[in-house]
Amino acid sequence: MKRIVLSLLCVCFFAVTTTQAQSLLDKAQKAAAGTQRPLGNGIAGSILGKLTPALGLTNAQQPKVLNLVTGFLKQKAGILPLQQANPAAYTSKFAGLQGGLFSKLKLLLTAAQYTKFLGLKPKTNDAGNVLSQLFF
C-alpha cells in the first residue's frame, strides 16, 4: 500500500512540475517574441501603409510593392543571424538584397515616385520607423 501511495505521489509531483516548467517556457517564448520585431506581412503591410500615401501608389502598384517588400523581408530574416555572428558578411549580403529590391522598385515605380522613395530614407536606423527595415 505504501508503494502505491508513494508511486502515486511521484506521478502527481512529476505532472505538476512538468506543467509548471511548460508554463514558464511558454511565458519566456512570449516575452522573447514581444521584444523582437517580426518580419513578414505585418511589417510589410505597415511599410506599404507608409509608402502608399507618400508615393501615391496606384491600386495596381500596391500588391506588386507588397510582394517585393515581403520577399525582401523574408530574405533579410534569413541573414539576420549573421548580423551578430559575422557583421561583414551580413553587410555584404544585405547590400545585395537591398540592391535587388531597389532595382525592382525602380522598374515598378515612376521616376518621380522612386526619387521620393529614396528621400524617405531615415537618417538613422530608427526602430519606430518601419521604413528603416528597407534601408538598414
Side-chain angles (χ1 to χ4, degrees):
M1 182 70 172
K2 288 182 182 180
R3 288 184 182 175
I4 293 173
V5 171
L6 185 59
S7 297
L8 192 57
L9 284 173
C10 287
V11 168
C12 290
F13 176 75
F14 180 73
V16 168
T17 304
T18 303
T19 303
Q20 289 176 344
Q22 185 62 42
S23 175
L24 288 174
L25 180 61
D26 290 342
K27 287 179 185 177
Q29 287 174 338
K30 286 179 184 177
T35 59
Q36 297 174 348
R37 291 192 77 163
L39 297 176
N41 286 339
I43 291 178
S46 297
I47 290 171
L48 185 67
K50 283 206 170 206
L51 292 179
T52 298
L55 304 178
L57 296 177
T58 65
N59 289 339
Q61 288 174 318
Q62 289 176 21
K64 294 175 183 176
V65 170
L66 182 62
N67 285 338
L68 288 176
V69 169
T70 301
F72 170 78
L73 293 175
K74 286 180 182 178
Q75 291 176 326
K76 182 181 174 186
I79 66 167
L80 273 178
L82 289 175
Q83 194 172 27
Q84 297 295 331
N86 189 347
Y90 171 79
T91 302
S92 173
K93 289 185 184 223
F94 179 76
L97 291 177
Q98 187 183 50
L101 171 68
F102 285 14
S103 67
K104 291 173 186 173
L105 285 174
K106 192 171 188 175
L107 295 173
L108 179 63
L109 303 174
T110 66
Q113 286 175 322
Y114 186 73
T115 302
K116 283 182 187 177
F117 168 73
L118 294 177
L120 295 174
K121 180 180 179 178
K123 301 268 186 227
T124 60
N125 188 3
D126 178 14
N129 187 347
V130 293
L131 294 181
S132 291
Q133 294 291 326
L134 301 178
F135 292 99
F136 300 100

